[in-house]
Amino acid sequence: MSYLVLARKYRPKTFSEMVGQEHVVQALTNALTQQRLHHAYLFTGTRGVGKTTVSRILAKSLNCQGPDGQGGITAQPCGVCPACQDIDSGRFPDYTELDAASNRGVDEVQGLLEQAVYKPVQGRFKVFMIDEVHMLTNTAFNAMLKTLEEPPEYLKFVLATTDPQKVPVTVLSRCLQFNLRPMAPETVLEHLTRVLGAESVPAEPQALRLLARAARGSMRDALSLTDQAIAFGSGQLQEAGVRQMLGSVDRSHVFRLIAALAAGDGRSVVETSDALRTHGLSAASTLEEMSAVLQRMAVLQAVPQMAAAVDETDPEAAETARLAAALPADETQLLYSICLHGRTELGLAPDEYAALTMVLLRLLAFKPAQAAQPATAPAEKKTLTQAEAAPAAAQVVAPVAVPVAAPVAAPVAAPVAAAVPVAAPAAPQRAPQAAAPAVQPQPAPENLSADLDTKPAEAPVSKAQPAPETVAIPVRTAPEPSARLQPQSPTGRAGAAARLVPTEEGDHWYAVVQELIAAEAITALVRELALQSQLLAREDGHWRLRVERESVNQPQARERLRAALEAAGHATQISVELGVVIDSPARRNAHAAAERQRQAEDIVHNDPYVQQLVRDFGAKIVPGSIKPA
């Protein structure tokens, strides 16, 4: 007697035997019980989820005669009457299955519909089952529309497809549609355990978990892989044999990689990648397994309560929970995204293992806590270049630019010659904002533009000068003078410097920091920590500092700053706290740069030649073009 594969031997015969499709079973069971039967059903879903099985069970439910031959429509077909047995064996004359993949033309559909005029020969209903119905041609669909909409009372249509998007909406609107979902790995695992128990085949739980994941939601694929694994393992299922058969990566390698990435151990990452090459394991499979583990880690991090419900019998679940606690949530999300996108890069590289190594090392390059890893110091320095550019930009030396634009140029400050007296009211408005008289910012020339715009009558104009309309042209043509001029305003540029409150310790700390920077004793993040810090007190070689941003307060940066101070003979110990900073080298640099900018703009605006150009020709100064020399 020939061997019957597990997928056919254990095909469900009743609705109660189906697994993973409870929503479809419940709807059909209630409809059969209440005799509310539709004339056309459409079952959609991926391969191996039970579309044909549901169709055959539905046909048996409609035609079951019961063990005594007196039964009627039922949701629990007996399985022993001639109708049930013939449908299971494929010999029932009133149940017709048409494969639309090979019979997709209008002639085949018309041949099937010609049988619809005849009543059932043996059963209670004729059932036409068309598998892969999306493969039919447009003319074939059109040929069956009328019969599908109003079939005889003894005819039922059952359509099945894996691609419902290709089915015309005219057909979809005539059918009762059910979507069969992919099987969860846990559901497949439970079913495989029952099947192998019935077959008396010994199997390791971890081997079954591998098969359940490899099935990718298809129960038929899971049973087919189980058949193959039984043959591969000579009648038994062992994890090593199943893993070798599937070519999947041992998750111990995956856990080792994630642990190394969490610890920032680049050497271990490269060594594990080389081990994968040595064993000939797939790079794509490695990234796939890593994505699966990272997904479970992200769930445990988002819902910590689930960590208590981890299956202790599953060693992978315990290891996943441990890694979820070791790797920060943001790095888990970053690594998951890198693994997903990295799979598309494997085919572009000449060596997939080199591409795998690059994908794994990418997390170390973009690791949020870069200062903790010495190996990433060059990347850290490059990243902080932009952060250091803010205070350094204030020291850029450039010649004083006095460009003169046409009347249609960008909006600029208002003329100064005729509006200098107007600047007086602006000073009392800014006085309360200053933290100390020593750092009181001077009125910005741009405020003249706003004052002229709102109160043009207050600006005194000499009788010998042209009409005020000529002076107001730059303000009138500016689309949004206040918004455009605000970034170039010395007051806006010195917003942080306005809160500077010079202290005695600040004078000493500023000199020390400038000395260390000049000697190149501190760079990158250490330099940024020193510039952003305020010296609070000096007590017997112990200096207390304060910063506002925690991102610059890294342990390695503090240690390097302490070593630089000790080497320069200043302090042997330092402590850094978080709080409000009112006097730091960065604030002093910003305040000095803002003062130089204000002086440069005053020089240009008060220049007699510039005033004459503005007054006589309507010239305007391009915002941002004035730089201190």
Side-chain angles (χ1 to χ4, degrees):
M1 184 176 180
S2 61
Y3 174 73
L4 190 63
V5 298
L6 297 178
R8 295 180 58 188
K9 183 177 181 181
Y10 290 94
R11 181 191 292 269
K13 299 295 192 297
T14 62
F15 287 126
S16 59
E17 295 179 4
M18 290 195 65
V19 294
Q21 308 297 345
E22 289 77 10
H23 63 294
V24 177
V25 170
Q26 180 179 353
L28 293 178
T29 300
N30 294 339
L32 290 168
T33 303
Q34 300 173 10
Q35 304 292 303
R36 300 177 63 88
L37 303 176
H38 202 272
H39 61 269
Y41 297 87
L42 175 63
F43 298 110
T44 65
T46 186
R47 76 276 178 264
V49 293
K51 298 185 295 295
T52 304
T53 300
V54 171
S55 172
R56 293 181 180 179
I57 297 175
L58 180 60
K60 290 192 296 183
S61 299
L62 294 173
N63 292 287
C64 180
Q65 300 172 359
D68 55 357
Q70 302 298 322
I73 299 175
T74 176
Q76 300 292 335
C78 64
V80 297
C81 66
C84 292
Q85 293 182 352
D86 289 346
I87 291 175
D88 287 335
S89 59
R91 297 191 304 267
F92 193 63
D94 297 320
Y95 177 71
T96 304
E97 288 189 3
L98 177 68
D99 180 19
S102 56
N103 300 278
R104 57 193 306 264
V106 64
D107 295 335
E108 289 82 0
V109 173
Q110 286 181 347
L112 179 66
L113 296 178
E114 288 176 357
Q115 305 177 22
V117 299
Y118 303 106
K119 289 188 175 183
V121 176
Q122 181 179 344
R124 191 177 297 111
F125 291 94
K126 274 183 173 291
V127 180
F128 290 166
M129 194 276 180
I130 304 179
D131 199 7
E132 299 299 336
V133 69
H134 68 275
M135 300 292 289
L136 292 178
T137 62
N138 290 333
T139 54
F141 276 121
N142 294 333
M144 65 181 297
L145 284 180
K146 186 59 178 178
T147 307
L148 184 63
E149 183 178 6
E150 297 179 355
E153 60 180 5
Y154 52 81
L155 179 60
K156 302 295 181 185
F157 282 94
V158 179
L159 311 180
T161 177
T162 56
D163 196 354
Q165 289 78 15
K166 294 183 179 179
V167 179
V169 293
T170 52
V171 175
L172 295 177
S173 64
R174 289 167 167 81
C175 299
L176 201 62
Q177 184 172 348
F178 294 92
N179 182 26
L180 279 72
R181 303 165 184 165
M183 307 286 183
E186 294 78 10
T187 303
V188 177
L189 176 62
E190 294 176 3
H191 188 65
L192 291 181
T193 303
R194 289 194 298 267
V195 169
L196 294 179
E199 291 287 318
S200 300
V201 176
E204 295 182 357
Q206 196 60 28
L208 295 183
R209 290 190 178 93
L210 292 174
L211 293 174
R213 288 198 298 264
R216 298 183 181 277
S218 173
M219 188 66 73
R220 183 173 60 227
D221 288 2
L223 293 173
S224 299
L225 288 173
T226 303
D227 262 325
Q228 181 181 356
I230 292 174
F232 187 87
S234 299
Q236 58 182 352
L237 298 181
Q238 296 181 348
E239 179 185 358
V242 172
R243 193 179 296 279
Q244 182 180 358
M245 181 196 76
L246 297 176
S248 58
V249 177
D250 187 355
R251 285 206 171 178
S252 61
H253 296 290
V254 174
F255 292 138
R256 191 178 306 118
L257 284 173
I258 297 178
L261 292 172
D265 188 358
R267 178 176 180 180
S268 179
V269 171
V270 175
E271 290 177 350
T272 306
S273 179
D274 292 340
L276 294 174
R277 180 198 297 268
T278 303
H279 292 86
L281 299 176
S282 171
S285 178
T286 302
L287 293 179
E288 181 179 352
E289 292 292 332
M290 287 187 65
S291 300
V293 174
L294 289 167
Q295 184 269 335
R296 296 184 62 185
M297 291 171 54
V299 172
L300 293 177
Q301 291 170 346
V303 188
Q305 296 81 1
M306 297 186 63
V310 171
D311 186 4
E312 299 295 339
T313 61
D314 185 3
E316 293 184 357
E319 183 66 14
T320 302
R322 186 188 67 81
L323 290 176
L327 190 66
D330 57 342
E331 294 186 20
T332 302
Q333 296 291 339
L334 176 62
L335 183 55
Y336 179 78
S337 179
I338 289 176
C339 290
L340 286 185
H341 291 84
R343 294 178 61 185
T344 62
E345 301 177 6
L346 297 180
L348 303 177
D351 183 358
E352 68 171 4
Y353 294 100
L356 173 64
T357 304
M358 289 298 297
V359 170
L360 297 175
L361 293 179
R362 190 171 302 161
L363 177 67
L364 299 181
F366 294 97
K367 197 174 180 65
Q370 295 182 18
Q373 302 301 330
T376 60
E380 168 192 311
K381 183 175 181 179
K382 180 177 179 181
T383 305
L384 291 175
T385 302
Q386 298 179 354
E388 296 174 2
Q395 304 175 6
V396 176
V397 178
V400 177
V402 190
V404 179
V408 295
V412 296
V416 179
V420 171
V422 185
Q429 297 177 3
R430 299 188 179 187
Q433 299 178 3
V439 294
Q440 172 67 29
Q442 298 297 327
E446 286 76 5
N447 286 344
L448 272 59
S449 175
D451 293 340
L452 287 175
D453 193 15
T454 56
K455 300 179 181 180
E458 297 179 6
V461 181
S462 174
K463 295 182 180 180
Q465 295 176 350
E469 290 77 4
T470 304
V471 180
I473 287 178
V475 179
R476 191 166 56 246
T477 57
E480 294 179 1
S482 59
R484 294 285 300 275
L485 295 177
Q486 185 177 3
Q488 302 300 333
S489 171
T491 305
R493 190 178 291 108
R499 293 185 291 132
L500 172 67
V501 179
T503 62
E504 182 179 354
E505 296 293 347
D507 296 337
H508 180 74
W509 178 240
Y510 181 81
V512 170
V513 171
Q514 295 301 322
E515 174 189 346
L516 295 178
I517 293 177
E520 296 185 354
I522 55 176
T523 58
L525 188 61
V526 184
R527 174 185 174 184
E528 188 68 15
L529 174 61
L531 288 172
Q532 299 294 339
S533 302
Q534 175 184 350
L535 179 61
L536 300 179
R538 293 174 290 169
E539 302 171 353
D540 299 332
H542 177 250
W543 289 13
R544 292 193 301 111
L545 304 176
R546 176 185 294 171
V547 295
E548 287 185 343
R549 295 185 299 166
E550 188 176 2
S551 58
V552 299
N553 187 19
Q554 300 294 335
Q556 188 174 1
R558 291 198 304 268
E559 175 59 26
R560 292 170 61 183
L561 178 60
R562 186 206 61 78
L565 291 173
E566 183 178 7
H570 295 294
T572 58
Q573 294 182 356
I574 64 171
S575 59
V576 183
E577 64 182 40
L578 296 178
V580 178
V581 175
I582 59 175
D583 185 13
S584 66
R587 292 185 183 276
R588 293 191 175 219
N589 291 337
H591 181 266
E595 182 63 21
R596 289 195 302 270
Q597 179 67 24
R598 185 194 62 79
Q599 294 175 359
E601 292 179 355
D602 286 345
I603 292 174
V604 174
H605 283 284
N606 295 327
D607 185 85
Y609 180 69
V610 174
Q611 293 181 3
Q612 182 181 1
L613 291 176
V614 173
R615 181 175 61 252
D616 297 343
F617 302 102
K620 295 181 289 186
I621 301 175
V622 177
S625 60
I626 302 176
K627 301 295 181 183

